[in-house]
Amino acid sequence: MNNFVSEVKMEYFFLLKTIIIISSFTTLLTIIIIFIDSTIGNYGIKKININDKKIIEVEGGKPLLTTLISNKIFIPSACGGKGSCGLCKVKVLVPDKKQILPTEAPWLSKEEIDNGYRLSCQLKVKEDINIFIPEEFFSIKKFETEVIEIIDLTYDIKQLTLKILNNEKIEFKAGQFIQLEVPPYELTEQSVYRAYSISSDPKFNDKIELMIRYVKNGICTTYIHKYLKKGDKLFINGPYGEFYLRDTNSEIIFIAGGSGMAPIKSIIHHMINNNIQRKATFVFGARTIKDLFLLDFYLDIEKKLPNLKFISVLSEPKVEDNWNGEVGLVTDVVKKVVNQTENLEAYLCGSPGMIDACVKLLNSLGLPNEKIFYDKFA
Amino acid sequence: MKEIPNYKKIEENLKPGKFSLEGFLGNDNRSLFDIISDDKALILQLNIDIKEIITRLKYFRDKGFDFDGTFIIVDEKWKVSVISHRGKTKCPFEDKGFFAKTEINLIYLPKNIEINYSDLSIHLIEEHGFFGGKGSLYRLEPEILKIALEL
């Protein structure tokens, strides 16, 4: 009996000893993890020297793009920092490493890498850095807006009018784009950002218009088409982009399809405001008559800009459409209307497929890439 | 050496509202590992090759890309339309690469079979053997692919 009791006691002490050892080991591990997290994982305060003009102190370890945004410095980005647009390039002067991550490789040319360019959304601020960013980025701002109008331009394209709040003004060049922040809604858990070209007249700086086409299964466009209503508040930042009318006397060919009309419409407002009477042709492609919109607007424009001709072309007109205009692809009409490329500039906006086809065609007609302009986020 | 995928993380990415509104799993209750393994077995059973599937899917995509959503007839048996949207999308498996946002609609005329896919679906099959969960918008059934692509 005594032997049994002492055996049980021994087993009890063995178990207790084991529990104490395991608990001590776990506690020690936790302390080590906390220590590592607060030392190696914590980069502390780092300095970002911008253009040798401004030094900001930031919490280290976060992506450069979001770090700059939190300091009200906006770098162009169409994807909101996911590394999927390649727009947020900055030149890193110090440290002079010229190394990139695999996620940056699709977006940077060898020349850019050699010159120290990085994608700011992929580069984490783990040490003091010196960067160079173009001066115009300092004029990019975040704006709070209110939806004051939503119009159905077609069955799948809506025109949004956003009023800029807090007495702020947005100064943009006709053709530029903004980035729209879609807040989390019942189908999503986090904000998403998408780039949209401004379609409105640049002389109005207290509001902007956007044309947004519905994308099946798209997080952002589903929100805009099915959830957004008049009076809702939205944040935007911008303006961004190098797609604007060049100050030359060249003849112009504008080519667009669907919501790609947006920046070209804004450029045409700019031409009216500044009485730019350059010879211009606007070829607008759609599938059927129900994909066409703002036809009356362009009739009126042709009166104000007599050297501008608007041509719409349908690729699949239906019999009941009674369409007696151009039939085919935009490229078919472009082939017909371009009769010289010596003194021509082309401005394109639309789907990547349309842009690819038009660039190939224009190149084959003799127009060099330097005279063909389109948004890089396409 | 091929990296072992972090299925838990990827499954999260494949859920609705993460990388796309409806997600990639549909109403499939199987684990991602099981979905991929079952389709792998099915492909073997159907005696088709993933490389052949990819070649055909890319062929029709490339034929239609420049036509901006307009239906074209390919090789007298297929009708294809490719709508491309601005911007690019990332793979929910978080590997390298970004994909054009495309909606490809392919109709195999002899049997009137319609399939819908995207540049991302081509990548998901090619790199990850993932055809989508049952009931998802872009699920590509191997049996249907065998017929529609004449494999």
Side-chain angles (χ1 to χ4, degrees), chain A residues 82-84 107 185 187 189 194 197 215 217 219 222 287 315-316 329 349-353 356 360 375 377, chain B residues 16-23 65-71 83-88 90 98 101 103 137-138:
Chain A
K82 282 185 174 176
S84 61
W107 308 109
Y185 62 108
L187 305 171
E189 287 170 8
R194 293 289 183 273
S197 298
V215 178
N217 212 15
I219 291 174
T222 301
R287 284 177 65 189
S315 61
E316 292 176 41
L329 297 170
C349 193
S351 70
D356 267 17
K360 274 184 223 160
D375 269 327
F377 68 86
Chain B
K18 300 279 183 180
F19 277 65
S20 82
L21 195 64
E22 293 188 20
F65 190 72
D66 284 357
F67 292 88
D68 197 25
T70 303
F71 271 107
I83 298 173
S84 53
H85 300 283
R86 298 202 282 174
K88 289 201 163 46
K90 216 171 168 180
F98 302 92
K101 289 182 176 174
E103 291 174 40
L137 193 65
Y138 286 109

Side-chain angles (χ1 to χ4, degrees), chain A residues 12-243:
Chain A
Y12 173 76
F13 283 120
F14 178 75
L15 192 69
L16 194 67
K17 203 173 145 190
T18 311
I19 289 170
I20 289 168
I21 289 170
I22 291 173
S23 303
S24 309
F25 184 68
T26 314
T27 311
L28 185 67
L29 261 182
T30 310
I31 291 167
I32 291 170
I33 289 168
I34 291 169
F35 176 73
I36 289 172
D37 192 45
S38 61
T39 53
I40 298 171
N42 182 353
Y43 295 92
I45 298 298
K46 298 293 164 201
K47 285 180 184 163
I48 304 176
N49 176 323
I50 305 165
N51 297 3
D52 272 335
K53 285 182 181 167
K54 185 176 184 180
I55 295 175
I56 52 171
E57 291 197 343
V58 302
E59 190 189 331
K62 293 182 176 165
L64 178 61
L65 178 72
T66 45
T67 303
L68 291 173
I69 288 173
S70 59
N71 282 277
K72 295 193 164 59
I73 297 167
F74 294 91
I75 307 294
S77 163
C79 69
K82 282 185 174 176
S84 61
C85 72
L87 281 178
C88 63
K89 291 171 190 174
V90 296
K91 189 171 182 174
V92 178
L93 305 167
V94 179
D96 187 15
K97 287 179 184 166
K98 298 185 175 61
Q99 285 172 342
I100 59 160
L101 297 171
T103 45
E104 297 170 80
W107 308 109
L108 295 168
S109 65
K110 191 183 171 303
E111 196 186 345
E112 286 173 324
I113 297 167
D114 290 344
N115 284 314
Y117 279 92
R118 299 286 311 265
L119 286 193
S120 60
C121 67
Q122 302 297 304
L123 170 63
K124 288 190 175 166
V125 185
K126 295 179 180 174
E127 56 197 315
D128 292 349
I129 56 171
N130 290 16
I131 59 169
F132 172 79
I133 55 175
E135 287 296 322
E136 58 264 29
F137 288 2
F138 293 109
S139 62
I140 298 169
K141 286 183 189 167
K142 183 174 183 175
F143 299 94
E144 187 182 14
T145 71
E146 183 183 330
V147 180
I148 56 168
E149 192 175 52
I150 304 175
I151 296 173
D152 285 324
L153 292 176
T154 68
Y155 62 99
D156 69 346
I157 299 176
K158 283 190 191 289
Q159 177 175 287
L160 283 191
T161 305
L162 305 176
K163 182 179 166 48
I164 311 288
L165 300 177
N166 309 319
N167 292 320
E168 291 197 274
K169 306 285 175 207
I170 182 166
E171 304 293 344
F172 63 94
K173 279 186 190 168
Q176 287 192 300
F177 68 91
I178 55 91
Q179 197 183 54
L180 180 76
E181 180 184 343
V182 171
Y185 62 108
E186 66 179 84
L187 305 171
T188 61
E189 287 170 8
Q190 56 193 19
S191 297
V192 291
Y193 297 82
R194 293 289 183 273
Y196 293 104
S197 298
I198 304 169
S199 59
S200 47
D201 187 335
K203 82 178 171 204
F204 300 113
N205 56 13
D206 59 344
K207 62 180 179 181
I208 58 161
E209 284 170 12
L210 308 171
M211 292 175 181
I212 300 178
R213 183 182 183 190
Y214 177 68
V215 178
K216 193 162 74 178
N217 212 15
I219 291 174
C220 190
T221 61
T222 301
Y223 173 77
I224 287 157
H225 276 252
K226 299 186 176 167
Y227 290 81
L228 192 68
K229 52 189 190 311
K230 208 173 148 183
D232 284 353
K233 304 274 167 59
L234 282 176
F235 283 100
I236 61 165
N237 58 67
Y240 302 107
E242 300 298 312
F243 185 73

Side-chain angles (χ1 to χ4, degrees), chain B residues 33-57:
Chain B
F33 182 81
D34 285 345
I35 294 173
I36 292 173
S37 306
D38 290 352
D39 281 333
K40 200 172 177 182
L42 185 58
I43 294 288
L44 280 172
Q45 197 188 318
L46 292 167
N47 197 26
I48 51 177
D49 181 17
I50 284 200
K51 275 188 195 155
E52 277 181 87
I53 298 174
I54 296 304
T55 306
R56 296 297 280 160
L57 292 175

Side-chain angles (χ1 to χ4, degrees), chain B residues 70-103:
Chain B
T70 303
F71 271 107
I72 57 158
I73 301 292
V74 178
D75 301 336
E76 296 171 358
K77 285 186 194 171
W78 289 272
K79 200 174 160 187
V80 64
S81 126
V82 180
I83 298 173
S84 53
H85 300 283
R86 298 202 282 174
K88 289 201 163 46
T89 189
K90 216 171 168 180
C91 172
F93 284 66
E94 294 194 3
D95 57 351
K96 61 183 177 188
F98 302 92
F99 306 91
K101 289 182 176 174
T102 47
E103 291 174 40

